Amino acid sequence: MPQLPSSIDVLVVGAGPAGSSAAFWSARTGRSVVLADAAVFPRDKTCGDGLTPRAIAELDDLGLGDWVRSRSVSRGIRAVGFGREALIPWPERHWPAMGSVVPRTELDARLRDHAAEAGAISVDGVRAVSVVQAGNAVTAVEFDTPEGRRTVRCRSLIVADGVRSPLGKMLGRQWHRVTAFGVSGRAYIESDLATDDWITFDLEPRDPAGNVLRGYGWMFPTGDSGLVNLGVFLIATKKHPVGASLRPIVANYAEHNRDRWKLRGTLQHQASALLPMGGAVSGIAGGNWLIVGDAAGLVNPLNGEGIDYALETGRLGAEQLSADDLSESWPALLRQRYGGAYSLARRVAPRVYSPRVLRAAAPRVFASPALADRAFRVMGNFVEPSDRDRTARTWRALGALSARVDRQPLFEPMS
Ligand SMILES: Cc1cc2nc3c(=O)[nH]c(=O)nc-3n(C[C@H](O)[C@H](O)[C@H](O)COP(=O)(O)OP(=O)(O)OC[C@H]3O[C@@H](n4cnc5c(N)ncnc54)[C@H](O)[C@@H]3O)c2cc1C
């Protein structure tokens, strides 16, 4: 069992996708790296387990492409709702035209082992409880460990401690819930269709009373395990909270789909969590430290996915370790890369998922493969700066405008 050393070049706290990616890429630079997590692995993480092409591209770069393809492969999405259904393949642009579904217990353990194989010292069961700072830099982090309190001095710190970000909070990170955030619940259940190679989004999720909710339901087949991961993602803001318990909503969604999805038995591992979305955070970097993944609000407000951004920002964060002062440069890099798309997405998400809007738009969009492809492309943030087509240019222009007039700036530096 690796132990925490007293001193290290790069300390990464949190071994989800963001932390393991950061630790892998940091170790590749030849620095000494510790990857520390409070949980003991393998551990579960409340999630839909869906991997988009953006995530597959990162796994390919990490050298885990063959591994993920051996788990499960999805060809695209099946959108259902309002009496319609459409199959929309993953886009064939920039990223591999495939997705996957891998339970997080498995994915996160594999990523963490992979970082260790690259040279990171992976230590689990150790909780970061305080920081030692000198000016705007962090000089050490204190951990509660089974052997008692331990201090690890570090040259650089990468904080990847997830949605609640306890360490981030100690450093001044704040999550501003004035823009759209997600409230989401999931469960596993046995299904005869667990090897279906499309992931399903249901745009008409309902509460037990039959009211259509602002969000979507999903059905993600995990492959040979015989299980599907199902759940409901709802959009909320401080002004319009969800105000209902997710448990009965997820149970109702499962019952509603029991026959169609050939579900068997009862729901397993039911759990729910919040999703910080669209960069609605401030205070995500200091002199020698930066925050990545969920803790930095890196979740797409139009679909609630964040594994890809966790992997991407883990890599980008590791690339910034030589910078003299990260306090301005890290938020600026995130704004430049994600700012426009996130700003626009968090502005339009509550409207897009309005049942009234969907009831009017879904039949038209589902009936036209070109329209469905365009809608799917922007919802999944499959637009790159090099794309010159009309959809990409319009999306980028609206994104830039949205970011300029945002009342809640994205990735605001520490005030
Ligand atoms: C219900 C639900 C469904 C979702 N479905 C999808 C999906 O299908 N696809 C998708 O792409 N995204 C999905 N997401 C979002 C996705 O789960 C997150 O974006 C992703 O997990 C972010 O990874 P991360 O590494 O930033 O954080 P996490 O995966 O949360 O990892 C954070 C780690 O930090 C550790 N930690 C916390 N505090 C401390 C501490 N003080 N000391 C040491 N360690 C600490 C935790 O133990 C944990 O291991 C979903 C989210 C929810 C809630």
Side-chain angles (χ1 to χ4, degrees):
M1 269 304 219
Q3 301 286 313
L4 285 175
S6 56
S7 167
I8 199 81
D9 289 339
V10 184
L11 175 58
V12 182
V13 175
S20 289
S21 164
F24 175 91
W25 291 112
S26 301
R28 276 299 188 86
T29 65
R31 292 171 169 89
S32 62
V33 180
V34 159
L35 174 59
D37 201 291
V40 174
F41 282 70
R43 62 105 178 87
D44 183 25
K45 152 77 177 83
T46 304
C47 189
D49 306 331
L51 297 170
T52 64
R54 291 184 81 110
I56 302 293
E58 288 297 319
L59 291 168
D60 280 342
D61 288 349
L62 284 163
L64 291 172
D66 288 344
W67 176 80
V68 73
R69 283 169 182 78
S70 75
R71 308 305 305 128
S72 78
V73 172
S74 68
R75 297 163 62 189
I77 73 161
R78 176 188 294 108
V80 300
F82 305 100
R84 303 291 177 117
E85 176 169 326
L87 290 177
I88 313 166
W90 294 112
E92 293 191 25
R93 301 180 185 90
H94 311 296
W95 302 276
M98 62 159 281
S100 180
V101 180
V102 183
R104 292 291 298 274
T105 314
E106 214 180 316
L107 176 74
D108 290 18
R110 185 70 197 92
L111 282 165
R112 180 174 168 274
D113 288 349
H114 198 58
E117 285 152 20
I121 304 168
S122 289
V123 189
D124 61 8
V126 293
R127 180 176 300 280
V129 289
S130 66
V131 280
V132 184
Q133 287 177 271
N136 73 349
V138 170
T139 56
V141 176
E142 291 191 324
F143 289 87
D144 268 350
T145 80
E147 293 79 36
R149 189 64 62 92
R150 293 285 181 273
T151 301
V152 180
R153 291 193 307 280
C154 59
R155 284 180 199 278
S156 305
L157 170 68
I158 298 185
V159 180
D161 56 353
V163 50
R164 292 177 192 278
S165 192
L167 184 57
K169 271 186 209 147
M170 290 175 220
L171 291 163
R173 172 262 198 199
Q174 284 182 48
W175 173 15
H176 308 279
R177 299 188 195 184
V178 284
T179 52
F181 61 93
V183 183
S184 192
R186 73 97 217 257
Y188 293 97
I189 189 166
E190 285 177 36
S191 164
D192 290 345
L193 301 181
T195 52
D196 185 30
D197 51 9
W198 296 85
I199 60 170
T200 296
F201 288 82
D202 182 338
L203 301 176
E204 212 182 334
R206 290 172 186 271
D207 67 14
N211 304 306
V212 181
L213 298 162
R214 195 180 291 261
Y216 66 79
W218 74 79
M219 202 59 81
F220 291 174
T222 70
D224 295 336
S225 69
L227 298 172
V228 289
N229 179 321
L230 62 78
V232 174
F233 164 81
L234 301 177
I235 300 269
T237 58
K238 206 170 178 180
K239 216 164 141 193
H240 300 288
V242 164
S245 163
L246 263 284
R247 252 186 124 74
I249 292 173
V250 171
N252 183 61
Y253 180 63
E255 282 320 304
H256 185 71
N257 281 287
R258 187 169 279 277
D259 291 342
R260 176 182 177 162
W261 272 85
K262 300 188 191 315
L263 305 182
R264 283 185 279 109
T266 52
L267 295 178
Q268 306 167 26
H269 308 296
Q270 202 175 343
S272 60
L274 300 179
L275 291 99
M277 304 197 300
V281 287
S282 57
I284 55 161
N288 67 339
W289 60 270
L290 54 84
I291 304 187
V292 293
D294 269 14
L298 287 151
V299 171
N300 180 355
L302 277 169
N303 60 14
E305 37 106 18
I307 299 171
D308 40 10
Y309 303 106
L311 294 168
E312 284 179 16
T313 53
R315 172 174 53 77
L316 292 170
E319 287 168 9
Q320 303 307 307
L321 291 175
S322 305
D324 286 339
D325 185 346
L326 293 158
S327 36
E328 299 279 341
S329 62
W330 179 241
L333 190 151
L334 295 184
R335 260 197 309 278
Q336 179 246 329
R337 201 176 166 94
Y338 305 112
Y342 274 9
S343 169
L344 183 57
R346 71 189 194 184
R347 192 182 296 278
V348 299
R351 295 169 181 88
V352 167
Y353 284 108
S354 147
R356 204 161 39 87
V357 171
L358 278 178
R359 191 170 288 114
R364 219 160 68 84
V365 175
F366 286 10
S368 156
L371 259 184
D373 179 67
R374 237 173 281 157
F376 181 37
R377 186 171 165 211
V378 295
M379 303 275 293
N381 196 13
F382 295 122
V383 176
E384 279 289 86
S386 57
D387 291 342
R388 294 278 166 258
D389 58 285
R390 208 159 107 192
T391 304
R393 281 186 283 121
T394 309
W395 185 248
R396 274 198 305 268
L398 290 174
L401 179 65
S402 173
R404 253 202 317 275
V405 299
D406 251 341
R407 270 187 299 155
Q408 175 57 52
L410 298 95
F411 309 114
E412 235 183 332
M414 198 84 74
S415 49

